[in-house]
Amino acid sequence: MRNRGVLVVVSGFSGAGKGTLMNELLSKYDNYALSVSATTRSPRPGEVDGREYFFKTKEEFQSMIDNNEFLEYACYVENNYGTPKDYVEKQLEEGKDVLLEIEIQGALKVKQMTDDAVLIFILPPSAEELKRRLTGRGTETPDVIDARLKRANEEAEGIEKYDYVLVNDNLDESAAALHKLIQSSHCSTFRNIELINNIREGVKRFSEGE
Amino acid sequence: MRNRGVLVVVSGFSGAGKGTLMNELLSKYDNYALSVSATTRSPRPGEVDGREYFFKTKEEFQSMIDNNEFLEYACYVENNYGTPKDYVEKQLEEGKDVLLEIEIQGALKVKQMTDDAVLIFILPPSAEELKRRLTGRGTETPDVIDARLKRANEEAEGIEKYDYVLVNDNLDESAAALHKLIQSSHCSTFRNIELINNIREGVKRFSEGE
């Protein structure tokens, strides 16, 4: 029943462990591709165009906006970031399930743009555990932790707009659960119209005595 | 993330192997319960009230209809069949995923009655394979096979109203895929509102400096 890939939009609070989960999926299973964003910021040492990002000038980025080439994009004071449609589409056509890790505003734009995205919000096991993870890193100032909690508080408002939530407690188990969830999405009726029509036509022929 | 069970409505053409799949789930995993129907037909030798069916008189059945005690029911010339709500509800509350194998009209009634049912249509790998399975049993007359194909042709019209389709090719693989699909349904956002609210309230408290 594998055909076109599923576009998987993953969001979650800072400290929920999204990035680690994505990497686990990519390293354990071979059916995933990571969406590559376009950005106007300069490459950092070691970053490769088309791998970490598609690096664009402000003019190129604007032209992509004008030509409706983004699934979603956001323009900040310093730099712009966006998800190019054609890269995602190419991976989906090849049957890859595309992982797109973005924040909630972007996720909701993608949902508007395309019916067949699956939106998943990664949750910590509890708010206490989220706070522990944010403070426990020991590398951030109280101001930064405070800003993240405030941001988490804003993002928490939109969780109901996602299709699924997944608690990230144990990395192995959560990655396996996420993988199952994504694979199960392939069974959605609207993703199998061709198969259904084929069987329907055959059954019709046989029932008419052919 | 386990709490309330999921009501799983399973349909499929005669010969799609639904019954075998259900039995496989029940024997392999311990989180499933099979819905038990009420019927006005008489018990056959070996059948136990409350196991194969809840055996009811016509009057009792009518009284259950009048009291809105069925998730769905159908009255035929000979006998009536229905799915009692209270039995299903009790299993769901205990955290069991309840398997309900019914035909399409009943399935669509259940979907109307309750938001949280998951409707799954079991497909044969192809129409040719369905025909092979129906004729290959060697125990049915051409008339019976013909009637089943005509019935399949009618049922095929409604497949799009199901949430998922699942191809039953290899029993082991199909049972595993069905299990994953049902377990993944537990991650649906609307089934996790309590968890989401708990985390949201905690994050709010922390972001306000508590």
Side-chain angles (χ1 to χ4, degrees):
Chain A
M1 295 175 73
R2 286 309 291 262
N3 27 43
R4 186 178 158 83
V6 170
L7 176 56
V8 186
V9 178
V10 178
S11 304
F13 307 128
S14 171
K18 301 179 297 290
T20 320
L21 259 180
M22 301 297 95
N23 288 337
E24 187 76 2
L25 283 187
L26 287 162
S27 68
K28 261 195 179 161
Y29 310 99
D30 60 3
N31 59 298
Y32 293 106
L34 202 58
S35 169
V36 177
S37 298
T39 182
T40 57
R41 84 155 166 75
S42 305
R44 289 174 192 150
E47 285 185 341
V48 176
D49 185 49
R51 192 179 69 187
E52 279 80 12
Y53 286 98
F54 295 109
F55 294 101
K56 302 288 177 188
T57 64
K58 292 223 163 185
E59 293 70 32
E60 287 169 338
F61 198 97
Q62 185 57 49
S63 146
M64 289 177 76
I65 296 176
D66 296 342
N67 294 323
N68 195 25
E69 291 177 31
F70 285 119
L71 268 176
E72 58 82 37
Y73 65 90
C75 299
Y76 301 99
V77 180
E78 295 282 320
N79 292 300
N80 306 337
Y81 294 86
T83 305
K85 271 186 204 170
D86 61 350
Y87 182 80
V88 168
E89 184 56 33
K90 191 168 161 287
Q91 304 292 327
L92 293 175
E93 276 178 14
E94 287 176 7
K96 293 277 184 186
D97 295 327
V98 179
L99 305 172
L100 175 56
E101 188 195 327
I102 45 177
E103 36 65 83
I104 188 162
Q105 285 85 351
L108 299 181
K109 279 183 207 164
V110 172
K111 198 173 186 178
Q112 284 180 343
M113 286 286 281
T114 166
D115 281 341
D116 65 6
V118 174
L119 270 62
I120 304 173
F121 199 94
I122 308 296
L123 287 174
S126 67
E128 289 71 18
E129 174 61 22
L130 178 68
K131 196 184 180 188
R132 244 193 313 275
R133 287 185 195 175
L134 286 177
T135 53
R137 286 177 179 175
T139 53
E140 311 292 358
T141 64
D143 279 0
V144 168
I145 295 168
D146 193 51
R148 282 188 179 159
L149 278 169
K150 285 201 160 51
R151 173 100 189 103
N153 187 37
E154 288 164 23
E155 293 203 313
E157 289 305 311
I159 300 177
E160 271 100 340
K161 292 172 183 160
Y162 285 72
D163 299 306
Y164 299 100
V165 293
L166 189 90
V167 171
N168 185 15
D169 197 348
N170 170 297
L171 179 62
D172 272 354
E173 286 174 19
S174 302
L178 184 55
H179 179 63
K180 284 179 197 172
L181 180 54
I182 296 167
Q183 295 324 295
S184 294
S185 305
H186 281 272
C187 297
S188 290
T189 304
F190 75 90
R191 294 186 205 275
N192 292 278
I193 296 299
E194 199 179 320
L195 170 72
I196 293 169
N197 284 339
N198 283 343
I199 290 178
R200 187 144 49 197
E201 281 160 27
V203 168
K204 188 168 192 294
R205 278 201 319 278
F206 293 140
S207 76
E208 288 167 351
E210 271 181 49
Chain B
M1 294 176 73
R2 285 309 291 264
N3 27 44
R4 186 178 158 83
V6 170
L7 176 55
V8 186
V9 179
V10 179
S11 305
F13 306 128
S14 170
K18 301 179 296 289
T20 320
L21 259 179
M22 301 296 95
N23 287 337
E24 186 77 2
L25 283 187
L26 287 163
S27 67
K28 260 196 180 162
Y29 310 99
D30 62 1
N31 60 297
Y32 293 106
L34 202 59
S35 170
V36 177
S37 298
T39 183
T40 56
R41 83 155 166 75
S42 305
R44 291 175 190 149
E47 286 185 341
V48 175
D49 184 49
R51 192 180 68 186
E52 280 79 12
Y53 286 97
F54 296 109
F55 295 100
K56 302 287 175 189
T57 63
K58 292 224 165 186
E59 293 69 30
E60 287 169 339
F61 199 97
Q62 184 57 49
S63 147
M64 289 178 76
I65 295 176
D66 296 342
N67 294 323
N68 195 25
E69 290 177 33
F70 286 120
L71 267 177
E72 57 82 38
Y73 64 90
C75 298
Y76 302 99
V77 180
E78 295 283 318
N79 292 301
N80 306 338
Y81 294 86
T83 305
K85 271 186 204 170
D86 61 350
Y87 181 80
V88 168
E89 184 55 33
K90 191 167 160 285
Q91 304 292 328
L92 293 175
E93 274 178 15
E94 287 176 9
K96 294 278 185 187
D97 296 327
V98 179
L99 304 173
L100 175 57
E101 189 195 325
I102 45 177
E103 37 65 85
I104 187 161
Q105 285 86 350
L108 298 181
K109 279 182 207 162
V110 172
K111 198 174 186 178
Q112 282 178 345
M113 286 286 281
T114 165
D115 281 341
D116 65 7
V118 174
L119 270 62
I120 304 173
F121 198 94
I122 308 295
L123 287 173
S126 66
E128 289 72 17
E129 175 60 23
L130 178 68
K131 195 183 180 189
R132 243 191 314 273
R133 288 186 195 174
L134 286 178
T135 53
R137 287 177 178 175
T139 53
E140 311 292 359
T141 64
D143 278 359
V144 169
I145 294 167
D146 194 49
R148 283 189 178 159
L149 279 169
K150 284 202 160 51
R151 173 101 189 105
N153 187 37
E154 287 164 24
E155 292 203 315
E157 288 306 310
I159 301 177
E160 271 100 339
K161 291 172 183 160
Y162 285 71
D163 299 306
Y164 298 100
V165 293
L166 189 89
V167 171
N168 185 16
D169 197 350
N170 170 297
L171 179 63
D172 272 354
E173 286 174 20
S174 302
L178 184 54
H179 180 62
K180 284 179 197 172
L181 180 53
I182 296 167
Q183 296 323 295
S184 294
S185 304
H186 281 271
C187 297
S188 290
T189 304
F190 75 90
R191 295 186 204 275
N192 291 278
I193 296 300
E194 199 179 320
L195 170 72
I196 293 169
N197 284 339
N198 283 344
I199 290 179
R200 187 143 51 197
E201 281 159 28
V203 167
K204 189 168 191 296
R205 279 202 317 277
F206 293 140
S207 76
E208 286 167 351
E210 271 181 51

